[in-house]
Amino acid sequence: MKKLTCLLSTLLLALVCMAQYTGPGFYRVHNVNTDSYICIKGTHFEKTTGPDAFWPCALMQKDSAQVNDPGSIIYIPDTIQVGLYSQGVDTYTLTHLLLDVHPAPVMQNGLPTYVAYTEYEPDPIGNPGKMFPCYFRDKGFGMTAGSSPRRAESHWWIEPVNEGSMDTSYFAVKPASDLMVDADGYYWTSLCCDFPVLIPVEGGVEGAYTVTQVNGDEEGQYIAVPEKVYDRGEIVPAATPVLLRCTSPYMSENKLLPVGDIANHRDMPIASDLLMGNYFSVFQNHCSATDITAMTDYIPEQATLATGHDLALGIDEQGRLGFFAQEEGSYMVANTAWLNTAGLELPEDVTAVLLGEVKVDDVEEVVQGDIDGDGFVNIDDVTMMIDYLLGREPNDEEKSDDVNFKRFDVNNDDAVNIDDLTMLIDIVLGK
């Protein structure tokens, strides 16, 4: 009985830790009243109603919508006088309001809750210096502000997005259509977000690709050649537009893990080889506190208006997978990568570039943490990493072509240090 009580206490503690602020890092912020998550969608708003400036930039999303929305991954650096960082911006820049985040005096579903508090000057001319306190809430029509911290609408769960947790903290991707499949049965999608993502070794995302060349074929068609740049077990850096090749069209099988630090990349669009991408596009959100049916379209100032050179990943009427021109006057889809042909010597009337076969280079299959290259991650790898950090050279028996810098750089930040050892130990312990 004592063992069972101890086990239950441990599980309860683990659950509580999974739903509270534990220090600077990635989180999802979840409203108690509406069961909706904050997703950052806008970049600027000329506020006229004080804290209600959060309406246009914070879209509340339910169900599984937040799982594959990069805007739901929020970096919280502290809980006092901060902005929430996401999508290359922060809420202070958007609204000129700083937040204090405090534990609420109530638990919901056995988990701690928080309130987000700010003060603003509603009438700087008539009543200069008089500050009005307000608490951020979701009454069912978007993130707004009110005076009461006691109601559930003002209470929030803060859920850590922990490195290494495939069950609770993952970020997922899916193709825009289950018809976006190549001849080998792989599904394609694209991604551009402001946080680094680890491609799990055992997962549906087979790899991340770029495009460095477009070739013509004998039939007068143009072919983009995908080239793998990040394999399973490797990290796609923040602010890097890539194509993702997946084994499944379902989000639950195409998991990625947010790791590292945000890029805070404000300039749009972002370029990488022939691919471009950004974080924002036209979106619809509530615009009235009195009428929950009132909606309007918002166009963030960093949204990218499509040009004749911007071809988006998709399929055409013939079912061909490739990059295709967008409608005139439309905006590129948020958090995607697209092909930019501006620097290529192609005819002006080219509106389609098909996706060709993957360029096969000598991409080493590196299992994250497998320092000695034996196909397993265990204490031997930890020992070898410690020896490396202490400057001990491997003996002739230990030397191998498979032991290289790439394997020692466990967190893929182009440096080998104590951070790699820490991550390696976590992997060995199953964290």
Side-chain angles (χ1 to χ4, degrees):
M1 183 66 180
K2 186 176 181 180
K3 288 184 178 179
L4 179 60
T5 302
C6 182
L7 177 60
L8 290 175
S9 299
T10 302
L11 290 175
L12 179 60
L13 178 62
L15 285 172
V16 170
C17 290
M18 286 167 54
Q20 65 179 341
Y21 179 82
T22 56
F26 293 111
Y27 296 85
R28 285 190 174 101
V29 183
H30 188 187
N31 187 260
V32 170
N33 180 56
T34 62
D35 202 30
S36 299
Y37 289 79
I38 296 175
C39 296
I40 302 301
K41 289 294 181 183
T43 59
H44 181 68
F45 180 59
E46 297 292 341
K47 72 178 189 295
T48 57
T49 55
D52 285 342
F54 275 92
W55 267 332
C57 69
L59 180 66
M60 304 302 300
Q61 298 212 77
K62 287 188 177 183
D63 304 322
S64 62
Q66 84 283 351
V67 174
N68 72 324
D69 188 338
S72 73
I73 306 294
I74 295 173
Y75 187 87
I76 305 178
D78 204 343
T79 59
I80 300 175
Q81 293 288 288
V82 297
L84 306 179
Y85 291 78
S86 181
Q87 300 278 68
V89 296
D90 65 275
T91 53
Y92 177 73
T93 301
L94 303 180
T95 64
H96 302 292
L97 295 169
L98 289 171
L99 301 176
D100 287 328
V101 180
H102 301 291
V106 296
M107 301 273 283
Q108 294 285 349
N109 296 342
L111 302 175
T113 63
Y114 295 78
V115 292
Y117 168 91
T118 193
E119 290 185 337
Y120 81 108
E121 191 176 11
D123 186 9
I125 298 177
N127 293 287
K130 185 175 181 179
M131 305 302 291
F132 180 78
C134 54
Y135 294 83
F136 289 93
R137 63 189 182 181
D138 181 14
K139 297 180 70 174
F141 49 83
M143 187 177 175
T144 57
S147 59
S148 175
R150 298 181 179 86
R151 298 176 179 175
E153 65 205 37
S154 299
H155 297 166
W156 304 83
W157 287 301
I158 298 179
E159 302 174 353
V161 180
N162 299 315
E163 296 183 14
S165 177
M166 284 287 287
D167 296 324
T168 61
S169 303
Y170 66 88
F171 169 74
V173 294
K174 66 175 182 178
S177 165
D178 57 9
L179 299 178
M180 291 176 61
V181 59
D182 62 23
D184 296 320
Y186 286 97
Y187 298 86
W188 288 83
T189 187
S190 66
L191 181 66
C192 182
C193 57
D194 74 332
F195 50 88
V197 291
L198 168 68
I199 305 176
V201 173
E202 297 180 359
V205 180
E206 181 272 340
Y209 293 77
T210 189
V211 174
T212 60
Q213 59 182 323
V214 173
N215 301 324
D217 64 12
E218 296 177 354
E219 300 178 2
Q221 300 178 130
Y222 293 93
I223 309 295
V225 182
E227 181 177 345
K228 183 182 284 188
V229 284
Y230 303 103
D231 211 333
R232 284 187 170 113
E234 298 183 331
I235 295 172
V236 180
T240 305
V242 291
L243 306 178
L244 299 176
R245 190 165 78 153
C246 308
T247 60
S248 170
Y250 303 111
M251 286 192 302
S252 60
E253 298 179 22
N254 298 328
K255 297 179 179 180
L256 300 168
L257 297 178
V259 295
D261 296 318
I262 58 173
N264 202 25
H265 196 301
R266 297 173 182 271
D267 296 329
M268 300 292 159
I270 299 167
S272 176
D273 298 320
L274 298 181
L275 296 181
M276 301 187 78
N278 69 359
Y279 307 143
F280 297 105
S281 189
V282 179
F283 70 103
Q284 193 175 72
N285 203 358
H286 290 283
C287 60
S288 170
T290 57
D291 183 1
I292 64 173
T293 64
M295 303 283 284
T296 192
D297 284 334
Y298 292 96
I299 303 177
E301 62 183 16
Q302 290 178 315
T304 300
L305 185 65
T307 71
H309 295 292
D310 296 320
L311 309 183
L313 184 67
I315 52 175
D316 64 6
E317 295 178 352
Q318 302 175 46
R320 300 180 301 177
L321 179 63
F323 298 92
F324 304 99
Q326 302 301 285
E327 292 184 11
E328 185 176 351
S330 65
Y331 287 82
M332 304 307 292
V333 176
N335 297 112
T336 62
W338 63 87
L339 183 69
N340 183 269
T341 63
L344 300 177
E345 295 181 1
L346 300 179
E348 287 292 330
D349 59 349
V350 171
T351 59
V353 174
L354 303 183
L355 194 66
E357 293 184 7
V358 171
K359 180 180 179 181
V360 179
D361 284 338
D362 294 329
V363 178
E364 181 187 6
E365 282 286 343
V366 175
V367 176
Q368 187 190 26
D370 181 19
I371 306 299
D372 57 13
D374 65 354
F376 301 95
V377 181
N378 51 35
I379 193 64
D380 293 338
D381 300 293
V382 175
T383 301
M384 186 170 283
M385 173 68 83
I386 292 173
D387 287 344
Y388 183 91
L389 292 176
L390 292 177
R392 187 183 78 81
E393 291 292 328
N395 57 41
D396 292 338
E397 218 172 274
E398 294 171 328
K399 285 182 179 179
S400 165
D401 291 339
D402 290 329
V403 180
N404 55 36
F405 174 84
K406 187 177 182 181
R407 291 187 179 277
F408 283 101
D409 185 19
V410 180
N411 63 4
N412 200 36
D413 65 352
D414 293 327
V416 178
N417 50 40
I418 192 67
D419 293 337
D420 299 288
L421 176 60
T422 301
M423 180 175 281
L424 176 58
I425 292 173
D426 286 343
I427 293 172
V428 171
L429 294 177
K431 291 185 178 181

